[in-house]
Amino acid sequence: KTAVTRAGLMDALLNKNSVFTVFAPNNTAFGRIGITTDAQINGLPLTTLVPLIQYHVVPGRKLTSTAIPDTFPNAQLPTAFILPAPNTNPLVRMSTFPSRRGANAFINNIPVTQPDIQAANGVVHNVFVPVFPPSRVLADTLSRDTTFSFLMTTIAKADAILPAGSKFSELLANPVLN
């Protein structure tokens, strides 16, 4: 509750005219990552807290665990987390990926510990730990791993002859492209 309020989402979640699916870490789940007090939540920078909390909220959908597919590919659910710059489209949102294996539900491979808690305007699924959005784009991930040095050299050579806007390095650095 402290995190949702501080992130500015409480009014939206209280709106009975809206529908949400929330993958909610309870106090125990936050404790698993070392957050055990309201003071620690209040001490987090908003630039960290807001995207984290938004990433747990799926607006416009009420997805029960039985509606999550148990076949590949998993479902893709755009969250309330709007991708930051260089994205300029406010409709582009970071997605989560719920899945189901038998009777067990997961979000981004994190177990749902208590599914299908019904609310007037949606459904809540308790999760084992908070679900963090990806923190790096592909270009960053590839450049940090020396086993991809040949690939990165090849990309740099190809980029040398490509016009701006179509360079591979630009595509790998763009968080809105799959």
Side-chain angles (χ1 to χ4, degrees), residues 32-162:
R32 289 185 178 107
I33 64 166
I35 296 176
T36 58
T37 66
D38 287 339
Q40 288 173 295
I41 296 281
N42 288 325
L44 291 173
L46 286 177
T47 55
T48 300
L49 183 66
V50 171
L52 173 64
I53 299 306
Q54 288 175 336
Y55 195 60
H56 289 82
V57 177
V58 178
R61 300 242 354 229
K62 180 179 180 180
L63 185 72
T64 62
S65 63
T66 56
I68 297 171
D70 60 359
T71 58
F72 187 82
N74 299 338
Q76 178 179 359
L77 292 178
T79 67
F81 177 25
I82 297 173
L83 290 170
N87 172 49
T88 57
N89 183 344
L91 299 177
V92 179
R93 299 175 182 276
M94 185 70 73
S95 292
T96 55
F97 297 89
S99 62
R100 191 167 46 91
R101 291 185 279 289
N104 300 315
F106 299 84
I107 184 73
N108 294 11
N109 290 324
I110 293 173
V112 171
T113 55
Q114 184 180 3
D116 302 328
I117 302 165
Q118 298 298 318
N121 61 343
V123 63
V124 176
H125 304 286
N126 280 352
V127 292
F128 185 75
V129 294
V131 183
F132 286 90
S135 60
R136 298 190 313 221
V137 294
L138 287 171
D140 187 36
T141 300
L142 292 171
S143 67
R144 288 175 185 238
D145 187 337
T146 57
T147 64
F148 292 113
S149 64
F150 295 166
L151 176 63
M152 295 307 290
T153 300
T154 304
I155 288 170
K157 287 186 182 238
D159 280 353
I161 61 170
L162 293 172

